[in-house]
Structures are given as C-alpha cells and as structure tokens.
Coordinates of all heavy atoms in Angstrom, one line a residue:
M1 N -19.1 1.2 -27.4 CA -18.8 0.5 -26.1 C -19.2 -0.9 -26.2 O -20.3 -1.2 -26.7 CB -19.4 1.2 -25.0 CG -19.1 0.6 -23.6 SD -19.8 1.6 -22.3 CE -18.4 1.7 -21.3
T2 N -18.4 -1.8 -25.8 CA -18.7 -3.2 -25.9 C -19.2 -3.8 -24.5 O -18.8 -3.2 -23.5 CB -17.5 -4.1 -26.3 OG1 -16.5 -3.9 -25.4 CG2 -17.1 -3.6 -27.7
Q3 N -20.0 -4.8 -24.5 CA -20.4 -5.4 -23.3 C -19.4 -6.5 -22.9 O -18.8 -7.1 -23.8 CB -21.8 -6.1 -23.5 CG -22.9 -5.2 -23.8 CD -23.2 -4.3 -22.6 OE1 -23.1 -4.7 -21.5 NE2 -23.6 -3.1 -22.8
L4 N -19.1 -6.6 -21.6 CA -18.2 -7.6 -21.1 C -18.9 -9.0 -21.0 O -20.0 -9.1 -20.5 CB -17.6 -7.2 -19.8 CG -16.9 -5.9 -19.7 CD1 -16.5 -5.6 -18.3 CD2 -15.7 -5.9 -20.6
D5 N -18.2 -10.0 -21.5 CA -18.7 -11.3 -21.3 C -18.2 -11.9 -19.9 O -17.5 -11.2 -19.2 CB -18.4 -12.3 -22.5 CG -16.9 -12.5 -22.6 OD1 -16.1 -11.9 -21.8 OD2 -16.5 -13.2 -23.6
I6 N -18.7 -13.1 -19.6 CA -18.4 -13.7 -18.3 C -16.9 -13.9 -18.1 O -16.4 -13.7 -17.0 CB -19.3 -14.9 -18.1 CG1 -19.2 -15.4 -16.6 CG2 -18.8 -16.0 -19.0 CD1 -19.9 -14.5 -15.7
V7 N -16.2 -14.3 -19.1 CA -14.8 -14.6 -19.0 C -14.0 -13.3 -18.6 O -13.2 -13.3 -17.8 CB -14.2 -15.1 -20.3 CG1 -12.7 -15.3 -20.3 CG2 -14.9 -16.5 -20.6
E8 N -14.4 -12.2 -19.3 CA -13.7 -10.9 -19.0 C -14.1 -10.4 -17.6 O -13.2 -9.9 -16.9 CB -14.2 -9.9 -20.0 CG -13.7 -10.2 -21.4 CD -14.3 -9.3 -22.5 OE1 -15.4 -8.8 -22.2 OE2 -13.7 -9.2 -23.5
K9 N -15.3 -10.6 -17.1 CA -15.7 -10.2 -15.8 C -14.9 -11.0 -14.7 O -14.4 -10.4 -13.8 CB -17.2 -10.3 -15.6 CG -18.0 -9.3 -16.3 CD -19.5 -9.5 -16.1 CE -20.3 -8.5 -16.9 NZ -21.7 -8.7 -16.7
V10 N -14.8 -12.3 -14.9 CA -14.1 -13.1 -14.0 C -12.6 -12.8 -14.0 O -12.0 -12.7 -12.9 CB -14.3 -14.6 -14.3 CG1 -13.4 -15.5 -13.6 CG2 -15.8 -15.0 -14.1
A11 N -12.1 -12.6 -15.1 CA -10.6 -12.3 -15.2 C -10.3 -11.0 -14.5 O -9.3 -10.9 -13.8 CB -10.2 -12.3 -16.6
M12 N -11.1 -10.0 -14.7 CA -10.9 -8.7 -14.1 C -11.1 -8.8 -12.6 O -10.3 -8.2 -11.8 CB -11.8 -7.6 -14.7 CG -11.4 -7.2 -16.1 SD -12.2 -5.7 -16.7 CE -13.9 -6.2 -16.7
A13 N -12.1 -9.5 -12.1 CA -12.3 -9.6 -10.7 C -11.2 -10.4 -10.0 O -10.7 -10.0 -9.0 CB -13.7 -10.3 -10.5
F14 N -10.8 -11.5 -10.7 CA -9.7 -12.3 -10.1 C -8.4 -11.5 -10.1 O -7.7 -11.5 -9.0 CB -9.5 -13.5 -10.9 CG -8.4 -14.4 -10.4 CD1 -8.6 -15.2 -9.3 CD2 -7.2 -14.5 -11.0 CE1 -7.6 -16.0 -8.8 CE2 -6.2 -15.3 -10.6 CZ -6.4 -16.1 -9.4
S15 N -8.0 -10.8 -11.1 CA -6.8 -10.0 -11.1 C -6.8 -8.9 -10.1 O -5.9 -8.6 -9.4 CB -6.5 -9.5 -12.5 OG -7.4 -8.6 -13.0
A16 N -7.9 -8.2 -10.1 CA -8.1 -7.1 -9.1 C -8.0 -7.6 -7.7 O -7.3 -7.0 -6.8 CB -9.4 -6.3 -9.3
G17 N -8.6 -8.8 -7.4 CA -8.6 -9.4 -6.1 C -7.2 -9.8 -5.7 O -6.7 -9.5 -4.6
T18 N -6.5 -10.5 -6.6 CA -5.1 -10.9 -6.2 C -4.2 -9.7 -6.0 O -3.3 -9.8 -5.1 CB -4.5 -11.9 -7.3 OG1 -4.6 -11.3 -8.6 CG2 -5.3 -13.2 -7.3
I19 N -4.3 -8.7 -6.9 CA -3.4 -7.6 -6.7 C -3.7 -6.8 -5.4 O -2.8 -6.5 -4.7 CB -3.5 -6.6 -7.9 CG1 -2.9 -7.3 -9.2 CG2 -2.8 -5.3 -7.7 CD1 -3.1 -6.5 -10.4
L20 N -5.0 -6.6 -5.1 CA -5.3 -5.9 -3.9 C -4.9 -6.8 -2.6 O -4.5 -6.2 -1.6 CB -6.8 -5.6 -3.8 CG -7.2 -4.5 -4.7 CD1 -8.8 -4.3 -4.7 CD2 -6.6 -3.2 -4.3
V21 N -5.1 -8.1 -2.7 CA -4.7 -8.9 -1.5 C -3.2 -8.8 -1.3 O -2.7 -8.7 -0.2 CB -5.3 -10.3 -1.7 CG1 -4.6 -11.3 -0.7 CG2 -6.7 -10.4 -1.5
G22 N -2.5 -8.9 -2.5 CA -1.0 -8.9 -2.4 C -0.5 -7.6 -1.9 O 0.5 -7.6 -1.1
I23 N -1.0 -6.5 -2.3 CA -0.5 -5.2 -1.9 C -1.1 -4.7 -0.6 O -0.4 -4.5 0.4 CB -0.7 -4.2 -3.0 CG1 0.2 -4.6 -4.2 CG2 -0.2 -2.8 -2.5 CD1 0.0 -3.8 -5.4
V24 N -2.4 -4.5 -0.6 CA -3.1 -3.9 0.5 C -3.4 -4.9 1.7 O -3.0 -4.6 2.8 CB -4.5 -3.3 0.0 CG1 -5.2 -2.7 1.2 CG2 -4.2 -2.3 -1.0
G25 N -4.0 -6.0 1.3 CA -4.3 -7.0 2.4 C -3.1 -7.5 3.2 O -3.1 -7.4 4.4
L26 N -2.1 -8.0 2.5 CA -0.9 -8.5 3.2 C -0.1 -7.4 3.8 O 0.7 -7.6 4.7 CB -0.1 -9.4 2.3 CG -0.9 -10.7 1.9 CD1 0.0 -11.5 1.0 CD2 -1.3 -11.5 3.1
G27 N -0.2 -6.2 3.2 CA 0.5 -5.0 3.8 C -0.1 -4.6 5.1 O 0.6 -4.3 6.1
I28 N -1.4 -4.7 5.2 CA -2.1 -4.5 6.5 C -1.7 -5.6 7.5 O -1.5 -5.3 8.7 CB -3.6 -4.4 6.3 CG1 -4.0 -3.2 5.6 CG2 -4.4 -4.5 7.7 CD1 -5.4 -3.1 5.2
V29 N -1.6 -6.8 7.1 CA -1.2 -7.9 8.0 C 0.2 -7.6 8.5 O 0.5 -7.8 9.7 CB -1.2 -9.3 7.2 CG1 -0.5 -10.3 8.0 CG2 -2.6 -9.7 6.9
E30 N 1.1 -7.1 7.6 CA 2.5 -6.8 8.0 C 2.5 -5.7 9.1 O 3.2 -5.7 10.1 CB 3.3 -6.4 6.8 CG 3.7 -7.5 6.0 CD 4.8 -8.4 6.6 OE1 5.5 -7.9 7.5 OE2 4.9 -9.5 6.2
I31 N 1.6 -4.7 8.9 CA 1.6 -3.5 9.8 C 1.0 -4.0 11.2 O 1.5 -3.6 12.2 CB 0.7 -2.4 9.2 CG1 1.5 -1.7 8.1 CG2 0.4 -1.4 10.3 CD1 0.7 -0.7 7.3
L32 N 0.0 -4.8 11.1 CA -0.6 -5.3 12.4 C 0.4 -6.3 13.1 O 0.3 -6.4 14.4 CB -1.9 -6.1 12.1 CG -3.1 -5.2 11.6 CD1 -4.3 -6.0 11.3 CD2 -3.4 -4.1 12.6
A33 N 1.2 -7.0 12.4 CA 2.2 -7.9 13.0 C 3.3 -7.1 13.7 O 4.0 -7.7 14.6 CB 2.8 -8.8 12.0
G34 N 3.5 -5.9 13.4 CA 4.5 -5.1 14.0 C 5.9 -5.1 13.2 O 5.9 -5.5 12.1
Q35 N 6.9 -4.6 13.9 CA 8.2 -4.6 13.3 C 8.7 -6.0 12.9 O 8.4 -6.9 13.6 CB 9.2 -3.9 14.3 CG 8.9 -2.5 14.6 CD 9.4 -1.5 13.5 OE1 10.2 -1.9 12.7 NE2 8.8 -0.3 13.5
P36 N 9.5 -6.2 12.0 CA 10.0 -5.3 11.0 C 9.1 -5.1 9.8 O 8.3 -6.0 9.5 CB 11.3 -6.0 10.5 CG 11.0 -7.4 10.6 CD 10.1 -7.6 11.8
Y37 N 9.1 -4.0 9.1 CA 8.3 -3.8 8.0 C 8.9 -4.1 6.7 O 8.3 -4.2 5.7 CB 7.8 -2.3 8.0 CG 7.0 -1.9 9.1 CD1 7.3 -0.8 9.9 CD2 5.9 -2.6 9.5 CE1 6.5 -0.5 11.0 CE2 5.1 -2.3 10.6 CZ 5.4 -1.2 11.3 OH 4.6 -0.9 12.4
G38 N 10.2 -4.3 6.7 CA 11.0 -4.6 5.4 C 10.8 -6.0 5.0 O 10.3 -6.9 5.7
A39 N 11.3 -6.2 3.8 CA 11.2 -7.6 3.2 C 12.3 -8.5 3.7 O 12.1 -9.7 3.6 CB 11.2 -7.5 1.7
A40 N 13.4 -8.0 4.1 CA 14.5 -8.8 4.5 C 14.5 -9.1 6.0 O 14.0 -8.3 6.8 CB 15.8 -8.1 4.2
P41 N 15.0 -10.2 6.4 CA 15.0 -10.5 7.9 C 16.0 -9.6 8.6 O 17.0 -9.1 8.0 CB 15.6 -12.0 7.9 CG 15.4 -12.5 6.6 CD 15.4 -11.3 5.6
V42 N 15.7 -9.3 9.9 CA 16.5 -8.4 10.7 C 17.5 -9.3 11.4 O 17.1 -10.3 12.1 CB 15.7 -7.6 11.6 CG1 16.5 -6.7 12.5 CG2 14.7 -6.7 10.9
T43 N 18.8 -8.9 11.4 CA 19.8 -9.7 12.1 C 20.5 -8.8 13.1 O 20.4 -7.5 13.0 CB 20.9 -10.2 11.1 OG1 21.5 -9.0 10.4 CG2 20.3 -11.1 10.1
N44 N 21.1 -9.4 14.1 CA 21.8 -8.6 15.1 C 23.3 -8.6 14.7 O 23.7 -9.0 13.6 CB 21.7 -9.3 16.5 CG 22.2 -10.7 16.6 OD1 22.8 -11.2 15.7 ND2 21.8 -11.3 17.7
D45 N 24.2 -8.1 15.6 CA 25.6 -7.9 15.2 C 26.3 -9.2 15.0 O 27.2 -9.3 14.2 CB 26.3 -7.1 16.3 CG 25.8 -5.7 16.4 OD1 25.3 -5.2 15.4 OD2 25.9 -5.1 17.5
A46 N 25.8 -10.3 15.6 CA 26.4 -11.6 15.4 C 25.9 -12.3 14.2 O 26.5 -13.3 13.8 CB 26.1 -12.5 16.6
G47 N 25.0 -11.7 13.5 CA 24.5 -12.3 12.2 C 23.3 -13.2 12.4 O 22.8 -13.9 11.5
E48 N 22.8 -13.3 13.7 CA 21.6 -14.2 13.9 C 20.4 -13.5 13.5 O 20.2 -12.3 13.7 CB 21.6 -14.5 15.4 CG 22.7 -15.3 15.9 CD 22.7 -15.5 17.5 OE1 22.6 -14.4 18.1 OE2 22.6 -16.6 17.9
V49 N 19.4 -14.2 12.9 CA 18.2 -13.6 12.5 C 17.3 -13.5 13.8 O 17.0 -14.4 14.5 CB 17.4 -14.5 11.5 CG1 16.0 -14.0 11.2 CG2 18.3 -14.7 10.3
V50 N 16.9 -12.2 14.1 CA 16.1 -11.9 15.3 C 14.7 -11.6 14.9 O 13.8 -11.7 15.8 CB 16.7 -10.8 16.1 CG1 18.1 -11.2 16.6 CG2 16.9 -9.5 15.2
A51 N 14.4 -11.3 13.7 CA 13.0 -11.0 13.3 C 12.9 -11.2 11.8 O 13.8 -10.9 11.0 CB 12.6 -9.6 13.7
T52 N 11.7 -11.7 11.4 CA 11.4 -11.9 10.0 C 10.1 -11.3 9.7 O 9.2 -11.1 10.6 CB 11.4 -13.4 9.6 OG1 10.4 -14.1 10.5 CG2 12.7 -14.1 9.8
P53 N 9.8 -11.0 8.4 CA 8.5 -10.5 8.1 C 7.4 -11.5 8.4 O 7.6 -12.7 8.3 CB 8.6 -10.2 6.6 CG 10.0 -10.2 6.3 CD 10.7 -11.0 7.3
A54 N 6.2 -11.0 8.6 CA 5.0 -11.9 8.9 C 4.6 -12.7 7.7 O 4.3 -13.9 7.8 CB 3.9 -11.1 9.4
V55 N 4.7 -12.1 6.5 CA 4.3 -12.8 5.3 C 5.6 -12.8 4.4 O 6.2 -11.8 4.2 CB 3.2 -12.1 4.6 CG1 2.8 -12.7 3.3 CG2 1.9 -12.0 5.5
D56 N 5.9 -14.0 3.8 CA 7.0 -14.1 2.9 C 6.9 -13.1 1.7 O 5.8 -13.1 1.1 CB 7.1 -15.5 2.5 CG 8.4 -15.7 1.7 OD1 9.4 -15.0 1.9 OD2 8.4 -16.7 0.9
P57 N 7.9 -12.3 1.5 CA 7.8 -11.4 0.3 C 7.5 -12.1 -1.0 O 6.9 -11.5 -1.9 CB 9.1 -10.7 0.3 CG 9.7 -10.8 1.7 CD 9.1 -12.1 2.2
A58 N 8.0 -13.3 -1.1 CA 7.7 -14.1 -2.4 C 6.2 -14.3 -2.6 O 5.7 -14.3 -3.7 CB 8.5 -15.4 -2.4
V59 N 5.5 -14.5 -1.5 CA 4.0 -14.7 -1.6 C 3.4 -13.4 -2.1 O 2.5 -13.5 -3.0 CB 3.5 -15.2 -0.2 CG1 1.9 -15.2 -0.3 CG2 4.0 -16.5 0.2
R60 N 3.7 -12.3 -1.5 CA 3.1 -11.0 -1.9 C 3.5 -10.7 -3.4 O 2.6 -10.3 -4.1 CB 3.6 -9.9 -1.0 CG 3.2 -10.0 0.4 CD 3.7 -8.9 1.2 NE 2.9 -7.7 0.8 CZ 3.1 -6.5 1.4 NH1 4.0 -6.3 2.3 NH2 2.4 -5.4 1.0
T61 N 4.7 -10.9 -3.7 CA 5.1 -10.7 -5.1 C 4.4 -11.6 -6.1 O 4.0 -11.2 -7.2 CB 6.7 -10.8 -5.2 OG1 7.3 -10.0 -4.3 CG2 7.1 -10.5 -6.6
G62 N 4.3 -12.9 -5.7 CA 3.6 -13.9 -6.5 C 2.2 -13.5 -6.8 O 1.7 -13.7 -7.9
L63 N 1.5 -13.0 -5.8 CA 0.1 -12.6 -5.9 C -0.1 -11.5 -6.9 O -0.9 -11.4 -7.8 CB -0.6 -12.3 -4.6 CG -0.9 -13.4 -3.7 CD1 -1.4 -12.9 -2.3 CD2 -2.0 -14.3 -4.3
V64 N 0.8 -10.5 -6.8 CA 0.8 -9.3 -7.7 C 1.1 -9.7 -9.1 O 0.4 -9.4 -10.1 CB 1.7 -8.2 -7.2 CG1 1.8 -7.1 -8.2 CG2 1.2 -7.7 -5.8
I65 N 2.1 -10.6 -9.3 CA 2.5 -11.0 -10.6 C 1.4 -11.9 -11.2 O 1.1 -11.7 -12.4 CB 3.8 -11.7 -10.6 CG1 5.0 -10.7 -10.3 CG2 4.1 -12.5 -11.9 CD1 6.3 -11.4 -10.1
L66 N 0.7 -12.7 -10.4 CA -0.4 -13.5 -10.9 C -1.5 -12.6 -11.4 O -2.1 -12.9 -12.5 CB -0.9 -14.4 -9.8 CG -2.1 -15.3 -10.2 CD1 -1.7 -16.3 -11.3 CD2 -2.6 -16.1 -9.0
G67 N -1.8 -11.6 -10.7 CA -2.9 -10.6 -11.1 C -2.5 -9.9 -12.4 O -3.3 -9.8 -13.3
L68 N -1.2 -9.6 -12.6 CA -0.8 -8.9 -13.8 C -0.8 -9.9 -15.0 O -1.1 -9.5 -16.1 CB 0.6 -8.3 -13.6 CG 0.7 -7.1 -12.6 CD1 2.1 -6.7 -12.4 CD2 -0.2 -6.0 -13.1
V69 N -0.4 -11.1 -14.7 CA -0.4 -12.1 -15.8 C -1.9 -12.4 -16.3 O -2.1 -12.5 -17.5 CB 0.3 -13.4 -15.4 CG1 0.0 -14.6 -16.3 CG2 1.7 -13.2 -15.2
V70 N -2.8 -12.4 -15.4 CA -4.2 -12.6 -15.8 C -4.7 -11.4 -16.6 O -5.4 -11.6 -17.6 CB -5.1 -12.8 -14.5 CG1 -6.6 -12.8 -14.9 CG2 -4.7 -14.2 -13.9
L71 N -4.3 -10.2 -16.2 CA -4.7 -9.0 -17.0 C -4.1 -9.1 -18.4 O -4.7 -8.7 -19.4 CB -4.2 -7.7 -16.3 CG -5.2 -7.2 -15.2 CD1 -4.6 -6.0 -14.5 CD2 -6.5 -7.0 -15.7
F72 N -2.8 -9.5 -18.5 CA -2.2 -9.7 -19.8 C -2.9 -10.7 -20.6 O -3.2 -10.5 -21.8 CB -0.7 -10.1 -19.6 CG 0.0 -10.2 -20.9 CD1 0.4 -9.2 -21.6 CD2 0.4 -11.5 -21.3 CE1 1.1 -9.3 -22.8 CE2 1.0 -11.7 -22.5 CZ 1.4 -10.6 -23.3
G73 N -3.3 -11.8 -20.0 CA -4.1 -12.8 -20.7 C -5.4 -12.3 -21.2 O -5.9 -12.6 -22.3
L74 N -6.0 -11.5 -20.3 CA -7.3 -10.8 -20.7 C -7.1 -9.9 -21.9 O -7.9 -9.9 -22.8 CB -7.9 -10.1 -19.6 CG -9.2 -9.3 -19.8 CD1 -10.3 -10.2 -20.2 CD2 -9.6 -8.4 -18.7
G75 N -6.0 -9.2 -22.0 CA -5.8 -8.4 -23.1 C -5.6 -9.2 -24.4 O -6.1 -8.8 -25.5
L76 N -4.9 -10.3 -24.3 CA -4.7 -11.2 -25.4 C -6.0 -11.8 -25.9 O -6.3 -11.9 -27.1 CB -3.7 -12.3 -25.1 CG -2.2 -11.9 -25.0 CD1 -1.4 -13.1 -24.6 CD2 -1.7 -11.3 -26.2
Y77 N -6.8 -12.1 -24.9 CA -8.2 -12.7 -25.2 C -9.0 -11.7 -26.0 O -9.7 -12.0 -26.9 CB -8.8 -13.1 -23.9 CG -10.3 -13.5 -24.0 CD1 -10.7 -14.8 -24.5 CD2 -11.3 -12.6 -23.7 CE1 -12.0 -15.1 -24.6 CE2 -12.6 -13.0 -23.8 CZ -13.0 -14.2 -24.3 OH -14.3 -14.6 -24.4
R78 N -9.0 -10.4 -25.5 CA -9.8 -9.4 -26.2 C -9.3 -9.1 -27.6 O -10.0 -8.9 -28.5 CB -9.8 -8.1 -25.4 CG -10.6 -8.4 -24.1 CD -11.2 -7.2 -23.5 NE -12.0 -6.5 -24.5 CZ -12.8 -5.5 -24.2 NH1 -12.9 -5.2 -22.9 NH2 -13.5 -4.9 -25.1
M79 N -7.9 -9.2 -27.8 CA -7.4 -8.9 -29.1 C -7.8 -10.0 -30.1 O -8.1 -9.8 -31.2 CB -5.8 -8.8 -29.0 CG -5.4 -7.5 -28.6 SD -3.6 -7.2 -28.7 CE -2.8 -8.7 -29.0
V80 N -7.7 -11.3 -29.6 CA -8.0 -12.4 -30.4 C -9.5 -12.5 -30.7 O -10.0 -12.7 -31.8 CB -7.5 -13.7 -29.8 CG1 -8.1 -14.9 -30.6 CG2 -6.0 -13.7 -29.8
G81 N -10.3 -12.2 -29.7 CA -11.7 -12.3 -29.8 C -12.4 -11.3 -30.7 O -13.3 -11.6 -31.4
T82 N -11.9 -10.0 -30.6 CA -12.5 -9.0 -31.4 C -11.8 -8.8 -32.8 O -12.5 -8.4 -33.7 CB -12.5 -7.6 -30.7 OG1 -11.1 -7.3 -30.4 CG2 -13.2 -7.7 -29.4
G83 N -10.5 -9.1 -32.8 CA -9.8 -8.9 -34.1 C -9.4 -7.5 -34.3 O -8.7 -7.2 -35.3
T84 N -9.8 -6.6 -33.4 CA -9.4 -5.2 -33.5 C -8.8 -4.7 -32.2 O -9.2 -5.2 -31.2 CB -10.6 -4.3 -33.9 OG1 -11.6 -4.4 -33.0 CG2 -11.1 -4.7 -35.3
V85 N -8.0 -3.7 -32.3 CA -7.4 -3.2 -31.1 C -7.5 -1.7 -31.1 O -7.0 -1.0 -32.0 CB -5.9 -3.5 -30.9 CG1 -5.3 -2.9 -29.7 CG2 -5.7 -5.0 -30.9
G86 N -8.2 -1.1 -30.2 CA -8.3 0.3 -30.1 C -9.0 1.1 -31.2 O -8.7 2.2 -31.5
T87 N -9.9 0.5 -31.9 CA -10.6 1.2 -33.0 C -12.0 1.6 -32.5 O -12.6 1.0 -31.7 CB -10.8 0.2 -34.2 OG1 -11.6 -0.9 -33.8 CG2 -9.5 -0.2 -34.8
D88 N -12.3 2.8 -32.9 CA -13.6 3.4 -32.6 C -14.6 3.0 -33.7 O -14.3 3.1 -34.9 CB -13.6 4.9 -32.4 CG -12.8 5.3 -31.2 OD1 -12.7 4.5 -30.3 OD2 -12.3 6.4 -31.2
V89 N -15.8 2.6 -33.3 CA -16.8 2.3 -34.2 C -17.7 3.5 -34.3 O -18.3 3.9 -33.3 CB -17.6 1.0 -33.9 CG1 -18.8 0.8 -34.8 CG2 -16.7 -0.1 -33.8
R90 N -17.8 4.1 -35.4 CA -18.7 5.3 -35.6 C -19.9 5.0 -36.5 O -19.7 4.4 -37.5 CB -17.9 6.5 -36.2 CG -16.8 6.9 -35.3 CD -16.0 8.1 -35.9 NE -14.9 8.4 -35.0 CZ -14.8 9.4 -34.3 NH1 -15.8 10.3 -34.2 NH2 -13.7 9.6 -33.6
R91 N -21.0 5.3 -36.0 CA -22.2 5.1 -36.8 C -22.9 6.4 -37.2 O -23.0 7.3 -36.3 CB -23.2 4.2 -36.0 CG -22.7 2.9 -35.6 CD -23.8 2.0 -35.0 NE -23.2 0.7 -34.6 CZ -23.1 0.3 -33.4 NH1 -23.5 1.0 -32.4 NH2 -22.6 -0.9 -33.2
E92 N -23.3 6.5 -38.4 CA -24.0 7.7 -38.8 C -25.4 7.6 -38.4 O -26.1 6.6 -38.5 CB -23.8 7.8 -40.3 CG -22.4 8.1 -40.8 CD -22.3 8.3 -42.3 OE1 -23.3 8.8 -42.8 OE2 -21.2 8.1 -42.8
A93 N -25.9 8.7 -38.0 CA -27.3 8.8 -37.6 C -27.9 10.0 -38.4 O -27.3 11.0 -38.6 CB -27.5 9.1 -36.1
T94 N -29.1 9.8 -38.9 CA -29.8 10.8 -39.6 C -30.5 11.8 -38.6 O -31.0 11.4 -37.6 CB -30.9 10.2 -40.5 OG1 -31.8 9.5 -39.7 CG2 -30.2 9.3 -41.6
A95 N -30.4 13.0 -39.0 CA -31.0 14.1 -38.1 C -32.4 14.2 -38.5 O -32.8 14.1 -39.6 CB -30.2 15.4 -38.3
D96 N -33.2 14.5 -37.5 CA -34.7 14.7 -37.7 C -34.9 16.2 -38.1 O -34.4 17.1 -37.8 CB -35.5 14.4 -36.5 CG -35.5 12.9 -36.2 OD1 -35.3 12.2 -37.2 OD2 -35.6 12.5 -35.0

C-alpha cells in the first residue's frame, strides 16, 4: 500500500467535492426551488416559457465533468509518478 502525497489528496478532495456539489448539492437546490425538476424549460401551449430550472443544467454538468477530468488527471499523475500500474509488491518475510 502506498502513502498518498499532498497532490493526490488535494485532487481527490477537489474532484469529490465538485462531483458531490454538482449532483447532490445542486439537486437539493432544485428540489427546494420546486417545480420544474427537469433540465428543460417548461412551456405552455403557445410556446412561451413559463418555468425554468433553478440551476442551469450546463453548470451542474460542468461541475461533474470537471471532477471527472481531475480524477483522470490524478490517474495519469499516478501512472507517470510510479511507473507501474496495478502491480502488487510482494516481500518475503522469514518465519521465526
């Protein structure tokens, strides 16, 4: 098992925070704001917009994508930094 350095801890915290804010936090804001819950504006029969979402869906999507991009970057950082991917280090120990 390897120890995480400060860059990895910051990247994981930032990506988890942006994904959670984008999905859970802004989802709660949408629920508290009331109807409509969908991403598209609600129109009447004449085609006039009568209701829009409280938070722009592009903002929510952007936060989630940003978190995923940071996680991808963290994966690349770990691959370049260690030089190995998914290898187990086994050490022999002598029995008493």
Side-chain angles (χ1 to χ4, degrees):
M1 181 176 228
T2 61
Q3 295 292 328
L4 299 176
D5 62 2
I6 190 70
V7 173
E8 294 169 338
K9 289 179 184 179
V10 168
M12 286 192 302
F14 180 76
S15 64
T18 57
I19 291 172
L20 284 175
V21 166
I23 295 173
V24 178
L26 295 180
I28 291 172
V29 169
E30 286 288 336
I31 290 172
L32 293 176
Q35 296 281 342
Y37 296 127
V42 177
T43 58
N44 61 11
D45 292 335
E48 296 173 301
V49 175
V50 293
T52 58
V55 178
D56 187 24
V59 172
R60 294 182 72 181
T61 305
L63 285 173
V64 173
I65 290 174
L66 177 64
L68 293 174
V69 166
V70 170
L71 279 178
F72 180 73
L74 175 63
L76 290 177
Y77 171 79
R78 292 209 49 172
M79 281 189 344
V80 170
T82 60
T84 59
V85 178
T87 59
D88 290 334
V89 176
R90 297 180 186 254
R91 295 188 182 118
E92 293 185 24
T94 57
D96 291 333

